[in-house]
Amino acid sequence: MRRSLSLLARQVALRRLLSNVPESTVYGGPRPQEFSAARRVTVTTLRGKHRRGEPITVVTAYDYPSAVHVDSAGIDVCLVGDSAAMVVHGHDTTLPITLELMLEHCRAVARGAPRPLLVGDLPFGCYESSATQAVDSAVRVLKEGGMDAIKLEGGAPSRIAAAKAIVEAGIAVMGHVGLTPQAISVLGGFRPQGKTVDSAVKVVETALALQEAGCFSVVLECVPAPVAAAVTSALKIPTIGIGAGPFCSGQVLVYHDLLGMLRHPHHAKVTPKFCKQFGNVGDVINKALSEYKQEVETQTFPGPSHTPYKITPTDVDGFANALQKMGLSDAADAVAAAAQNSEKGGEPNGNC
């Protein structure tokens, strides 16, 4: 009985977070999602999977529709990445996105994904100055963005100190080593890391330092598979690979990339080599848009089945008479012609 009441309370709370627009309206807004039998993923859940040797699945998403799909697929972690700057906003790097804009993306994802662990990136410029700035930004990501944890990049002493301060403030932190896109000015571009002995050792040392700072997990980006295997073996926390081979505790890919969603040349230059496309959604989108354009131009859309709202013959006559009195005789004729056409289920006459 108590469990049923608890579930009901959670469902009511979720409905309050979503739209309360009545069912009879034209645009119903987002509908409350039914809670699945699966429990909400937490940091403890991930630790259990890691302990049992079960791979952890992570997808980077930026908005409500993609979050709904990530949630429905049963993905463990949904990362709201600062890569939104490139994938969603069209920039060449992740640097331009602000904390305010990241919070908007976080809120949208939080509304669409009630089950996965939600991790929000701290964007460039909001945590480098001091540990106090880092904590303040992390607090906002949780309180205003609705996230469960934050992710920060790099392993410089100031970043380690920031991670430690955020953890001590009671906020779960995911680290990020290897290729750290926010540091491309220092790295000289989007370059893989760990390809020399010194660089590989640095990756391991940085990951260990992040673990010591209290991080619950570390992302390994664009490092050779043996280096990722070494880090995974050395750490007691899960590693999440992206372009780091199969020896990590889990994997992460960007929603748009793994679906093959974007086919524009601009996106091609930022789609990483390591990304496997599990679908060709971009081709489906382009085909649908082309068909839509064609049907609008040939006036076959919208047809009768997509023109659902009716007006009674009596009101049509009254409306036409009112237009005549307003001196809008052409509009009155258009009303009569449209009503007659609708009754026959015909196509428009081309005068619209």
Side-chain angles (χ1 to χ4, degrees):
M1 181 64 178
R2 289 182 179 177
R3 183 176 298 177
S4 298
L5 290 175
S6 175
L7 178 59
L8 178 60
R10 291 167 64 197
Q11 290 173 331
V12 170
L14 181 60
R15 289 189 177 95
R16 289 174 180 169
L17 289 174
L18 300 179
S19 174
N20 60 358
V21 179
E23 293 286 338
S24 59
T25 57
V26 175
Y27 298 108
R31 294 285 179 258
Q33 300 174 62
E34 295 297 328
F35 277 93
S36 64
R39 299 175 63 181
R40 179 76 180 265
V41 177
T42 66
V43 170
T44 301
T45 308
L46 300 186
R47 288 178 181 140
K49 295 194 72 169
H50 180 239
R51 185 175 60 252
R52 295 187 297 271
E54 300 174 3
I56 296 168
T57 55
V58 186
V59 170
T60 299
Y62 313 107
D63 58 20
Y64 175 82
S66 57
V68 170
H69 290 152
V70 169
D71 185 278
S72 300
I75 300 298
D76 296 317
V77 181
C78 186
L79 170 64
V80 185
D82 60 355
S83 50
M86 303 174 71
V87 179
V88 177
H89 299 284
H91 295 292
D92 290 330
T93 73
T94 64
L95 302 184
I97 199 164
T98 63
L99 179 58
E100 298 300 327
L101 191 50
M102 280 297 300
L103 290 173
E104 291 291 342
H105 285 291
C106 288
R107 284 190 283 267
V109 168
R111 286 190 287 268
R115 194 198 62 82
L117 182 78
L118 302 179
V119 181
D121 256 339
L122 290 187
F124 180 73
C126 80
Y127 65 101
E128 295 85 354
S129 297
S130 66
T132 299
Q133 183 199 34
V135 171
D136 290 344
S137 297
V139 167
R140 293 192 66 192
V141 171
L142 266 65
K143 291 186 69 173
E144 299 177 37
M147 298 289 99
D148 302 309
I150 65 95
K151 182 173 76 66
L152 55 75
E153 292 186 11
S158 61
R159 304 296 176 91
I160 301 299
K164 188 173 187 294
I166 294 169
V167 171
E168 291 177 348
I171 298 172
V173 176
M174 176 180 280
H176 185 153
V177 301
L179 169 58
T180 49
Q182 292 178 10
I184 60 170
S185 176
V186 175
L187 298 177
F190 294 102
R191 299 180 182 278
Q193 302 298 301
K195 296 180 68 177
T196 66
V197 172
D198 289 344
S199 179
V201 169
K202 184 178 179 180
V203 170
V204 175
E205 290 177 340
T206 302
L208 286 168
L210 288 167
Q211 176 180 260
E212 182 66 23
C215 291
F216 71 90
S217 179
V218 173
V219 171
L220 302 176
E221 181 169 359
C222 294
V223 300
V227 177
V231 174
T232 302
S233 177
L235 296 185
K236 297 178 181 178
I237 59 176
T239 57
I240 306 298
I242 177 166
F247 305 113
C248 298
S249 311
Q251 298 291 330
V252 58
L253 285 177
V254 172
Y255 177 86
H256 297 69
D257 291 341
L258 72 90
L259 293 179
M261 183 173 288
L262 300 180
R263 297 298 191 182
H264 191 276
H266 175 85
H267 187 69
K269 70 181 180 181
V270 299
T271 300
K273 297 177 181 178
F274 55 75
C275 182
K276 177 179 179 179
Q277 294 183 345
F278 291 82
N280 293 303
V281 175
D283 292 339
V284 176
I285 291 173
N286 290 339
K287 181 175 182 293
L289 289 172
S290 295
E291 290 179 357
Y292 164 72
K293 177 177 181 290
Q294 181 182 15
E295 290 196 13
V296 169
E297 291 175 345
T298 59
Q299 296 188 308
T300 55
F301 174 83
S305 62
H306 295 101
T307 309
Y309 311 113
K310 307 299 180 184
I311 182 171
T312 66
T314 300
D315 285 331
V316 167
D317 292 340
F319 182 37
N321 290 334
L323 291 171
Q324 291 284 4
K325 292 177 181 179
M326 295 168 65
L328 301 173
S329 57
D330 288 346
D333 292 341
V335 167
Q340 184 178 14
N341 185 275
S342 296
E343 290 175 359
K344 296 179 178 179
E347 304 297 336
N349 59 17
N351 295 324
C352 295

